[in-house]
Amino acid sequence: MTAVSHSFFICSQQKELTSKKRDEFEDILEERRLSSDLRYAMKCYTPVIYKGLSPCKPNAIKSAVLQSEQVQYVIKQLAKEMGESPDIIQEEAMEILDEMGHSMQLGAVRFFAFTLSKIFKQLFQRVCVNEEGMQRLQHAIQEHPVVLLPSHRSYVDFLMLSYLLYTYDLALPVIAAGIDFLGMKIVGELLRRAGAFFMRRSFGGNRLYWAVFSEYVKTMLRSGYAPIEFFLEGTRSRTAKTLTPKFGLLSIVMEPFLKREVFDTYLVPISISYERILEESLYAYELLGVPKPKESTSGLLKARRILSDNFGTIHIYVGQPVSLRTLASGRINRCPYNLVPRHLPQKPSEDIQEFVSDVAYKMELLQIENMVLSPWVLVAAILLQNLPAMDFELLIEKTLWLKGLTQTFGGFIEWPDNLCARKAVLSGLTLHANIARLVDGHVVLNDKGLEDGAVGEIVFKRALAILMCATYRNQLLNVFVRPSLVAVALQMTRSFRKEEVYSCFSFLRDVFSDEFIFFPGISLKDFEEGCFLLTKCDAIQTSQQEIYPTDKGSVIVSFLSAMFKPFVEGYQLIFRYLSKETKEAFTEKQLIPGVRNFVFQLLEKGNTQCYEALSSDMQKNALAALVQLGAVKKKKIVETLLWDPATKFLNSLAGCFCLPLPFGFQSFSQGFDKQREQSCLFLIEGLLCVLE
Amino acid sequence: MLFLQFLGFGFFDFPKYILNPNASEQELLKWNGWGYNDSKFIFNKKGQAEFTGKRYRLGGMVLPTFKEWIEKTFGASLEHKTTSRASLNVNDVPPSIVNEEFLQDLRATKISYSQDAEDRVFRAHGHCLHEIFVLREGMFKRIPDIVVWPVCHEDVVKIVELACKHNLCIIPFGGGTSVSSALECPEEEKRTIVSLDTSQMNRILWIDEKNLTACVEAGIVGQDLEKQLAESGFCTGHEPDSMEFSSLGGWVATRASGMKKNIYGNIEDLVIHIKMVTPRGIVEKNCQVPRMSTGPDIHHFIMGSEGTLGVVTEVTIKIRPVPEYQKYGSVVFPNFERGVACLREVAKQRCAPASIRLVDNAQFQFGHALKPQVASIFTSFLDGLKKFYITKFKGFDPNILCVATLLFEGDREKVLQHEKQVYDIATKFGGLAAGEDNGQRGYMLTFVIAYIRDLGLDYYVIGESFETSVPWDRVLDLCRNVKERIVRECKEKGVQFAPLSTCRVTQTYDAGACVYFYFAFNYRGISDPIHVYEQIERAAREEILANGGSLSHHHGVGKLRKRWMKESISDVGLGMLRSVKEYVDPNNIFGNKNLL
């Protein structure tokens, strides 16, 4: 009960916040459209910096890193183990540093300030920033070392963020970038001078690299040299759905505080929302397995033509800086840090790992909370449930309905008070004319390639359009996921008993743990929140023991479960493929084309409508879920990761999903714990119900 | 007992002797504050600060800049004054409850005792802030019921036997300078509480010049011990900041540390033999040797036992010839980091002088504010010149620089050699020699500083000091973080003026250092300042532990820091101590509830 009243309090606050949030936004391009970009680029730039900072050059940092006890220790260790001279290894460390290190220069920054002004004005109508967030950031930067944690949807993210900090006269961040940028000759160097430093994609086994890299980051953080920026998601989300966090860099930036080398560290979640994502079609191709073009300068130049296109508005919400000290208070056992010299590399204890993971999820949830949703996101969600075509008037009506629902669930929609629904939908359609258009009073997906293409061609085009459209619907999912999984669980269990519904909810939450962002270990709280939100929009009523949909609620419940249907069905297809089509261990490289072909054939034959199962993102997430559930095991054989299906379990699981009930039940009950078995049974029944 | 080198602001306590029958010594000391009655900071008619009395070098001098410093640092104003009540209100004092049979037995021993309210209140506390606050404005809930004054070991044996027979609680009392709530009586103690005052056991029993040892009764106070040994040309060299008032037995009971431990060692290095009376009997060794391998050293059960096991009655302690020559010194460093690096190097080369201390900038300014009015234009001109040289010519920022004070001791020639070695190291870390005078003043302030808390209390400023020990590599981080934590906690708790939050490194060791923090704030506008103060102090201790510092370097645990004992020494470690207590004192006669 307290949980409910608590969330109610939050929700009533949310309304106020929502309108406040809207007021806060300022368009930074407005000023750019009025005054000289050149003067702007050459302005006197005296940024606000950390109070304890003793200014130093990028090269001084590099040599401090090289001379640090941490790096020297590893060098000596390696020298001893490999029987090499420490000088040679030191040389190697120097090379790593040169490859990685940024060399921020004001000149390069000014160059970017100028060119990006030009480019951004071309591409975007507005770039809106919450001013209050910038002020909070300004205070934070002076007080403690700051880590900027933006969401990652586009390459524009980090350019935009640096541009923003320059505009507001704040210290420019140093940015962890993938090493692949260095492949782009001039651009790589230019980014380096604008503050990017480069990390290899995988260096788990390389102790020297790890030591140099982590010390490099920590040295900059400890000295408050500059805000450190990286992406928790690790890479651009191709689906616009927040990716599950990566922990490596986060644990590096948390370490100086945990070892008390700094008093505190601020983590600043930043939500960057695009009305239209620059890379939208690239992503769709990529998800369908058409390889992503390598970053190259010429590729970038080719991308010039997009300059003539319109990408709408960007919203950047700089969240409240979160004090790591406050997060850690009372959680951390001090002993591991007190009993070992601080410069020795030390594997984080389990409770530290858990803490890092909790912090990562918390920050991502904060990012999600402050994402700005455009009306088009609502349109996309509705459209995907009404393919191939939908009556325009109905669409408007539905959009308005969904707007209300989204707001009830705490989503923040950028929808000016006086804007009528028709206009909102129309402007979305205009901006996204490549995805859908209005034909004879109906809105249809742009899924026709050449009219006379082969069946395969048609399926591909259609998949492309659906995936692009899904990119926008996806922006709603993390706001909707808790009430929706309750709705799905209600349909699956066909029971009103709270306990059963919860048990199914909890299973779904586990299965989709890589698909959506859930704070670890609070299944019950999530369930309660889902129930609370459904109650709030009158979709269900609850008593002590039971949950029932209201008469009016069935519309909401079925809309919500339909929204998540592609995931339920998609996972089902993938599980089926794994249990039927694979016999031995496989690599990810084998799996993905395998599933893709499997689903493709089903689509061609018309045996399924689940185009989203073609998405490599979903395939990877499903695989990760199976690993977590123990249905598939990960093995490492000579540098290659293999996944080994625990055939029996997998068979049962897939069986549960796909085959008539008795078989699934039988094989399933042989050897899995009761609870999981039950949860799976819910899933089977539910799936059958959804599939009807 | 518990002497503790407290500092901070005022305090230390009283009593040197408390002889009930002729209480002349007790009367020399303040009843509600630190030290001697005649010595205190006051504001004179002109509104200038002045230190009264003739006991200290600062006595009778006017401190022209001190008032301004107080106003600037704490936002305190002379117009807002709060005064302690003038004397103890005897009617508030909890009654003495002692059973008549015990009194009869006690009288038979001829040991002097008292049930007088003032005598009992006097021994009901140490010098923690909350204790002084209670004296000024309230009353303790539980105090000793009776005070006894044994004059020798045998008296103590009799008292402990009687206590066992009548099931009483004994709380040993030495100099009363505890700053760990060690002397507070447990409120829930239902038995009669006997305060066993050791002050009358204050003789040097013998001096052994061949082996350089002396056997001394445990009640002797530091300054008397040194004075009496000096008559024979010897010293112990053990000089905790509280040495004017703290006792030998208290040093043993708390694992004390002295300012000159670099030459003479801490109490555990000085002690050769200990005799202690426990409910189980007397514990001692069979010989007085420099070292023995006979299982774990039983002295280490006694040292730091904080009055929970028994009463230390006699101690054989190492003595040294009084040094031929003493020389003070001081060094200015451009910043605290360089100063710490220099101390670390000195420790590494194992050439630390008798004492070496490094104060941070805030404390340097504090010391500066305590500079007396200069006698002549010439001195003032010289001071100005020095200041010009350091700040303008050498470019030291007066708001960042910090100062180390030094004390050298030994043969004249060796001292001069030693001095050069230390100054050479200091130069490498950007240090500038800043004269003997500054050094000497620094050490004199050590004793005087304790009086300042009483002045602060009159003007809504409360403060305290606390200490820790920490490995060298964490010294800087710990100092910075703890100071910052104090500032933040004050802000969060609604303290309206920024607090004084400052530190100094007071001892160097091979593997680390001892760090002292001073912390004081203006509590105007806060309804429960003591509670706020305690919350902040607790947060600061949490911060110390999180930064790899110890629970205490030499103040001890008492009741104030008990909550962290398990974390400090592990469950098993605590169990080991408990089992010793259970064996030695199964009926908890020594029931002061310290430590465990």
Side-chain angles (χ1 to χ4, degrees):
Chain A
M1 233 40 232
T2 47
V4 171
S5 54
H6 173 67
S7 22
F8 177 73
F9 175 65
I10 293 176
C11 287
S12 60
Q13 269 192 332
Q14 222 147 30
K15 273 248 159 73
E16 252 173 69
L17 273 180
T18 306
S19 55
K20 200 171 154 224
K21 256 186 204 168
R22 186 174 306 143
D23 295 342
E24 269 177 27
F25 282 109
E26 286 288 324
D27 178 10
I28 59 167
L29 286 190
E30 202 175 305
E31 166 76 18
R32 290 279 90 298
R33 297 195 203 276
L34 297 174
S35 67
S36 150
D37 288 334
L38 192 60
R39 194 177 309 144
Y40 164 78
M42 299 314 290
K43 74 172 181 175
C44 173
Y45 171 67
T46 46
V48 165
I49 51 173
Y50 175 55
K51 64 177 180 204
L53 176 67
S54 32
C56 64
K57 293 261 181 301
N59 274 333
I61 290 189
K62 284 193 203 166
S63 61
V65 171
L66 206 58
Q67 294 314 317
S68 68
E69 282 174 307
Q70 286 79 346
V71 170
Q72 286 298 322
Y73 176 83
V74 173
I75 287 177
K76 273 181 210 143
Q77 285 276 307
L78 289 173
K80 213 184 287 168
E81 281 168 29
M82 296 158 42
E84 288 232 41
S85 118
D87 294 345
I88 293 177
I89 297 175
Q90 171 126 349
E91 195 74 8
E92 213 177 300
M94 192 69 224
E95 278 163 26
I96 293 174
L97 263 175
D98 283 337
E99 172 193 272
M100 147 176 21
H102 74 87
S103 52
M104 207 194 280
Q105 284 173 358
L106 197 55
V109 171
R110 293 194 190 285
F111 169 78
F112 272 108
F114 180 75
T115 46
L116 288 181
S117 294
K118 297 285 179 217
I119 293 172
F120 288 161
K121 279 190 284 187
Q122 275 293 317
L123 288 175
F124 305 111
Q125 285 167 323
R126 293 182 304 152
V127 173
C128 297
V129 179
N130 67 325
E131 292 247 311
E132 201 189 321
M134 294 308 291
Q135 279 157 20
R136 287 189 301 234
L137 182 59
Q138 181 181 353
H139 287 294
I141 283 178
Q142 293 172 68
E143 218 177 340
H144 297 302
V146 163
V147 178
L148 304 176
L149 299 169
S151 58
H152 203 11
R153 304 285 172 271
S154 163
Y155 283 142
V156 175
D157 290 327
F158 61 85
L159 296 174
M160 183 56 85
L161 209 50
S162 293
Y163 183 78
L164 186 64
L165 294 186
Y166 175 80
T167 307
Y168 279 85
D169 254 332
L170 298 180
L172 288 180
V174 290
I175 307 147
I179 198 98
D180 14 6
F181 276 107
L182 279 184
M184 309 162 75
K185 294 212 173 65
I186 302 165
V187 176
E189 277 315 305
L190 210 52
L191 287 176
R192 195 195 284 280
R193 282 174 201 196
F197 62 97
F198 300 93
M199 63 189 290
R200 295 182 192 164
R201 284 280 171 200
S202 70
F203 50 89
N206 188 338
R207 274 149 69 199
L208 184 64
Y209 191 87
W210 174 257
V212 172
F213 179 78
S214 63
E215 191 51 30
Y216 183 66
V217 175
K218 285 186 277 183
T219 302
M220 292 192 290
L221 183 113
R222 277 191 293 251
S223 62
Y225 174 79
I228 291 175
E229 175 183 329
F230 65 90
F231 299 101
L232 275 173
E233 295 165 274
T235 183
R236 293 170 299 161
S237 166
R238 270 62 169 172
T239 58
K241 211 154 39 66
T242 302
L243 303 174
T244 50
K246 306 279 178 292
F247 305 126
L249 249 168
L250 185 65
S251 67
I252 290 176
V253 298
M254 284 167 66
E255 207 182 283
F257 167 73
L258 293 175
K259 290 186 170 174
R260 293 303 194 274
E261 292 162 340
V262 295
F263 184 78
D264 199 354
T265 302
Y266 276 132
L267 306 177
V268 186
I270 298 175
S271 318
I272 308 179
S273 323
Y274 295 90
E275 197 175 358
R276 186 179 162 203
I277 296 167
L278 214 60
E279 294 101 323
E280 55 178 6
S281 63
L282 269 174
Y283 287 162
Y285 277 103
E286 214 181 298
L287 290 173
L288 290 172
V290 180
K292 146 188 171 187
K294 258 211 143 108
E295 272 89 1
S296 70
T297 310
S298 62
L300 190 82
L301 292 177
K302 274 185 214 139
R304 259 185 332 176
R305 66 191 157 78
I306 61 169
L307 277 178
S308 53
D309 223 339
N310 176 8
F311 288 88
T313 300
I314 302 181
H315 282 90
I316 305 172
Y317 190 92
V318 179
Q320 176 86 39
V322 179
S323 150
L324 186 52
R325 175 173 274 269
T326 309
L327 292 177
S329 145
R331 271 202 65 159
I332 304 300
N333 176 10
R334 306 141 168 162
C335 262
Y337 291 106
N338 286 351
L339 292 178
V340 178
R342 291 183 295 179
H343 67 274
L344 298 195
Q346 201 184 344
K347 192 168 183 281
S349 64
E350 254 169 52
D351 67 329
I352 295 289
Q353 288 181 26
E354 195 188 306
F355 178 55
V356 171
S357 153
D358 285 358
V359 171
Y361 276 98
K362 188 182 164 83
M363 299 314 287
E364 285 202 346
L365 287 168
L366 286 170
Q367 284 176 3
I368 290 167
E369 192 181 307
N370 293 321
M371 283 288 187
V372 177
L373 307 167
S374 69
W376 168 253
V377 166
L378 310 177
V379 173
I382 295 161
L383 214 50
L384 281 173
Q385 291 190 25
N386 293 280
L387 291 177
M390 187 181 186
D391 180 60
F392 183 52
E393 300 302 327
L394 187 61
L395 177 63
I396 293 170
E397 188 188 313
K398 275 275 187 188
T399 305
L400 214 50
W401 171 81
L402 184 56
K403 177 189 168 209
L405 194 61
T406 308
Q407 282 168 338
T408 312
F409 290 171
F412 173 41
I413 306 175
E414 172 58 19
W415 189 311
D417 291 331
N418 50 5
L419 185 67
C420 76
R422 175 178 298 272
K423 272 194 187 153
V425 175
L426 266 178
S427 92
L429 279 171
T430 318
L431 191 66
H432 298 277
N434 58 332
I435 297 177
R437 67 205 140 95
L438 192 55
V439 181
D440 303 332
H442 279 75
V443 177
V444 292
L445 217 54
N446 269 346
D447 56 358
K448 302 286 184 292
L450 304 163
E451 287 298 330
D452 53 353
V455 190
E457 184 79 355
I458 292 169
V459 170
F460 186 80
K461 288 278 179 205
R462 197 166 166 77
L464 211 54
I466 286 179
L467 285 183
M468 257 160 65
C469 198
T471 304
Y472 295 93
R473 173 213 58 199
N474 284 350
Q475 297 179 26
L476 279 183
L477 294 183
N478 272 308
V479 176
F480 274 66
V481 68
R482 286 162 197 82
S484 295
L485 289 192
V486 174
V488 175
L490 266 174
Q491 288 207 334
M492 281 190 176
T493 53
R494 288 172 172 161
S495 159
F496 300 130
R497 288 195 47 230
K498 219 177 198 174
E499 217 174 285
E500 280 178 42
V501 178
Y502 170 62
S503 173
C504 179
F505 171 90
S506 179
F507 177 73
L508 288 169
R509 189 180 176 275
D510 286 346
V511 169
F512 291 131
S513 63
D514 283 84
E515 201 70 52
F516 309 108
I517 305 301
F518 298 105
F519 193 84
I522 55 159
S523 190
L524 186 59
K525 248 182 112 183
D526 280 344
F527 178 68
E528 279 173 357
E529 193 191 323
C531 290
F532 167 73
L533 291 173
L534 287 179
T535 318
K536 204 178 148 198
C537 59
D538 292 329
I540 57 166
Q541 282 182 329
T542 59
S543 70
Q544 203 70 8
Q545 306 288 337
E546 300 195 312
I547 299 181
Y548 0 40
T550 58
D551 296 342
K552 164 185 170 209
S554 60
V555 181
I556 295 178
V557 170
S558 41
F559 178 85
L560 294 181
S561 46
M563 190 179 211
F564 284 76
K565 185 173 149 192
F567 295 92
V568 177
E569 276 185 35
Y571 272 53
Q572 179 196 24
L573 289 175
I574 295 163
F575 293 171
R576 193 157 89 193
Y577 167 78
L578 278 173
S579 65
K580 295 287 142 212
E581 312 288 322
T582 59
K583 293 281 169 281
E584 289 149 28
F586 52 88
T587 64
E588 190 178 296
K589 276 209 179 106
Q590 293 166 334
L591 170 76
I592 290 185
V595 184
R596 191 183 298 129
N597 289 336
F598 174 72
V599 177
F600 210 88
Q601 280 165 17
L602 289 178
L603 285 166
E604 276 180 334
K605 289 187 204 135
N607 288 349
T608 179
Q609 286 303 311
C610 183
Y611 284 84
E612 291 185 49
L614 288 171
S615 155
S616 57
D617 183 67
M618 183 183 290
Q619 293 153 8
K620 286 177 199 163
N621 290 340
L623 182 61
L626 285 174
V627 171
Q628 254 167 24
L629 289 170
V632 174
K633 283 209 181 66
K634 216 183 207 176
K635 282 201 284 190
K636 196 171 183 181
I637 298 171
V638 214
E639 297 298 305
T640 320
L641 278 178
L642 282 181
W643 274 270
D644 190 9
T647 328
K648 224 161 143 197
F649 186 2
L650 197 60
N651 271 335
S652 328
L653 195 58
C656 292
F657 279 129
C658 317
L659 292 173
L661 191 58
F663 171 76
F665 180 66
Q666 260 178 3
S667 53
F668 201 72
S669 43
Q670 297 164 354
F672 298 102
D673 62 87
K674 263 268 181 283
Q675 205 195 343
R676 182 162 287 164
E677 180 185 310
Q678 262 198 339
S679 322
C680 286
L681 271 176
F682 289 136
L683 194 59
I684 312 156
E685 287 182 43
L687 282 167
L688 292 173
C689 131
V690 172
L691 287 174
E692 274 168 13
Chain B
M1 312 205 108
L2 304 212
F3 74 106
L4 295 221
Q5 123 173 357
F6 178 49
L7 296 208
F9 279 77
F11 334 173
F12 270 36
D13 186 74
F14 333 358
K16 191 168 182 184
Y17 302 79
I18 314 164
L19 187 5
N20 172 34
N22 30 19
S24 60
E25 290 284 343
Q26 179 172 335
E27 280 165 14
L28 287 177
L29 301 167
K30 291 195 191 80
W31 73 277
N32 64 348
W34 182 255
Y36 298 106
N37 266 325
D38 58 11
S39 304
K40 60 183 169 212
F41 285 95
I42 55 157
F43 286 107
N44 64 22
K45 283 172 206 138
K46 288 190 206 153
Q48 286 175 314
E50 197 179 317
F51 191 68
T52 63
K54 298 201 171 102
R55 293 176 190 271
Y56 301 92
R57 216 180 92 181
L58 206 59
M61 291 196 187
V62 170
L63 315 165
T65 56
F66 189 53
K67 183 183 151 202
E68 191 196 329
W69 179 83
I70 289 193
E71 289 171 345
K72 204 180 87 193
T73 309
F74 299 108
S77 145
L78 296 196
E79 280 147 37
H80 300 279
K81 199 170 171 187
T82 148
T83 35
S84 163
R85 61 162 166 247
S87 64
L88 187 65
N89 185 351
V90 178
N91 297 329
D92 294 346
V93 177
S96 160
I97 298 167
V98 184
N99 104 23
E100 190 53 37
E101 285 164 44
F102 167 67
L103 279 181
Q104 270 174 13
D105 284 352
L106 184 61
R107 276 181 216 122
T109 65
K110 305 261 187 321
I111 296 167
S112 48
Y113 69 91
S114 161
Q115 289 173 270
D116 172 75
E118 284 184 31
D119 289 337
R120 292 188 293 122
V121 169
F122 190 71
R123 286 157 189 82
H125 64 88
H127 277 268
C128 287
L129 175 71
H130 65 268
E131 294 169 314
I132 299 303
F133 223 76
V134 168
L135 283 175
R136 288 170 62 101
E137 304 190 353
M139 182 39 66
F140 300 106
K141 290 213 177 79
R142 186 75 168 94
I143 67 167
D145 296 294
I146 181 168
V147 183
V148 297
W149 283 273
V151 297
C152 61
H153 171 78
E154 286 68 29
D155 281 357
V156 175
V157 173
K158 286 180 204 156
I159 294 167
V160 174
E161 274 169 7
L162 286 183
C164 292
K165 179 179 162 195
H166 295 279
N167 191 26
L168 314 177
C169 168
I170 297 179
I171 298 184
F173 181 91
T177 57
S178 157
V179 283
S180 59
S181 299
L183 288 170
E184 268 175 78
C185 300
E187 274 174 37
E188 66 284 3
E189 180 60 69
K190 296 279 184 288
R191 300 173 294 180
T192 294
I193 297 181
V194 180
S195 176
L196 190 155
D197 186 318
T198 60
S199 62
Q200 303 311 301
M201 306 181 358
N202 56 5
R203 294 165 298 167
I204 295 179
L205 298 178
W206 44 256
I207 293 176
D208 178 350
E209 301 197 10
K210 290 211 178 68
N211 294 308
L212 288 178
T213 54
C215 184
V216 188
E217 286 184 317
I220 195 166
V221 165
Q223 59 173 331
D224 295 346
L225 176 61
E226 293 303 275
K227 222 178 283 168
Q228 291 174 35
L229 284 175
E231 288 165 13
S232 319
F234 294 103
C235 67
T236 64
H238 184 70
E239 295 185 11
D241 290 359
S242 62
M243 70 172 294
E244 297 167 284
F245 311 107
S246 58
S247 70
L248 174 58
W251 301 339
V252 170
T254 53
R255 289 183 68 87
S257 169
M259 176 180 104
K260 301 195 286 196
K261 71 95 194 152
N262 292 336
I263 293 182
Y264 300 96
N266 288 319
I267 196 72
E268 66 273 20
D269 309 308
L270 286 164
V271 162
I272 295 293
H273 185 263
I274 301 171
K275 199 191 258 185
M276 178 164 78
V277 180
T278 77
R280 271 281 167 197
I282 293 159
V283 54
E284 62 179 329
K285 293 183 183 175
N286 72 326
C287 54
Q288 312 203 73
V289 293
R291 180 176 197 275
M292 56 204 274
S293 175
T294 47
D297 191 339
I298 54 160
H299 283 172
H300 286 282
F301 289 128
I302 300 170
M303 286 187 288
S305 60
E306 306 194 355
T308 58
L309 298 179
V311 186
V312 177
T313 53
E314 291 169 15
V315 177
T316 304
I317 189 167
K318 291 199 245 177
I319 55 173
R320 301 286 306 163
V322 172
E324 168 193 320
Y325 186 64
Q326 265 202 339
K327 192 170 183 192
Y328 290 96
S330 63
V331 181
V332 186
F333 291 97
N335 55 44
F336 193 64
E337 288 73 17
R338 303 283 277 167
V340 170
C342 174
L343 261 61
R344 204 280 161 266
E345 183 61 27
V346 166
K348 201 184 206 169
Q349 297 193 19
R350 291 202 171 161
C351 64
S355 169
I356 176 164
R357 289 176 172 177
L358 179 77
V359 305
D360 69 0
N361 184 265
Q363 241 174 91
F364 157 73
Q365 305 218 8
F366 176 31
H368 210 68
L370 286 172
K371 248 190 165 164
Q373 201 157 27
V374 286
S376 70
I377 296 179
F378 181 66
T379 338
S380 126
F381 173 73
L382 268 187
D383 279 353
L385 213 61
K386 261 189 247 164
K387 191 174 163 193
F388 177 82
Y389 177 72
I390 288 177
T391 60
K392 296 290 177 318
F393 192 73
K394 283 290 178 180
F396 284 26
D397 181 340
N399 293 313
I400 296 180
L401 64 79
C402 74
V403 178
T405 56
L406 311 166
L407 171 61
F408 298 90
E409 239 181 56
D411 300 343
R412 198 186 140 82
E413 221 164 277
K414 278 190 191 148
V415 162
L416 295 178
Q417 234 178 349
H418 192 178
E419 191 187 19
K420 183 173 180 314
Q421 187 186 7
V422 173
Y423 281 111
D424 284 349
I425 294 173
T427 312
K428 284 193 196 124
F429 293 89
L432 284 178
E436 277 185 72
D437 211 49
N438 281 323
Q440 189 171 9
R441 258 171 34 80
Y443 287 100
M444 181 267 300
L445 286 180
T446 299
F447 296 104
V448 171
I449 204 170
Y451 288 91
I452 291 179
R453 186 168 77 181
D454 294 326
L455 179 76
L457 280 168
D458 287 343
Y459 295 95
Y460 292 92
V461 174
I462 51 178
E464 186 87 271
S465 70
F466 47 88
E467 38 69 81
T468 186
S469 48
V470 58
W472 278 115
D473 71 315
R474 296 171 196 253
V475 170
L476 285 176
D477 288 335
L478 181 134
C479 290
R480 182 196 59 234
N481 291 343
V482 172
K483 288 197 277 185
E484 173 100 24
R485 177 75 181 263
I486 289 171
V487 172
R488 271 162 197 277
E489 291 287 331
C490 281
K491 209 168 170 187
E492 271 171 37
K493 303 279 176 321
V495 175
Q496 309 196 348
F497 302 91
L500 175 70
S501 169
T502 153
C503 72
R504 67 185 190 196
V505 180
T506 60
Q507 290 288 7
T508 64
Y509 291 87
D510 288 348
C514 168
V515 179
Y516 235 95
F517 293 91
Y518 297 86
F519 145 49
F521 63 88
N522 180 338
Y523 69 84
R524 274 174 55 215
I526 294 176
S527 59
D528 190 354
I530 294 300
H531 180 63
V532 167
Y533 164 78
E534 281 172 349
Q535 285 179 315
I536 297 170
E537 189 191 356
R538 193 189 306 176
R541 182 58 61 181
E542 287 282 343
E543 191 64 34
I544 286 175
L545 296 173
N547 279 271
S550 64
L551 189 51
S552 170
H553 171 261
H554 60 271
H555 280 179
V557 176
K559 290 179 269 290
L560 195 59
R561 287 177 271 274
K562 260 165 87 164
R563 80 181 81 225
W564 293 289
M565 271 299 272
K566 193 170 121 182
E567 176 183 347
S568 291
I569 61 171
S570 80
D571 268 338
V572 178
L574 208 55
M576 289 161 85
L577 297 186
R578 282 207 181 105
S579 64
V580 170
K581 165 80 178 170
E582 261 156 43
Y583 173 77
V584 173
D585 183 16
N587 297 317
N588 197 28
I589 300 299
F590 289 88
N592 61 15
K593 295 251 174 107
N594 290 338
L595 202 59
L596 297 175

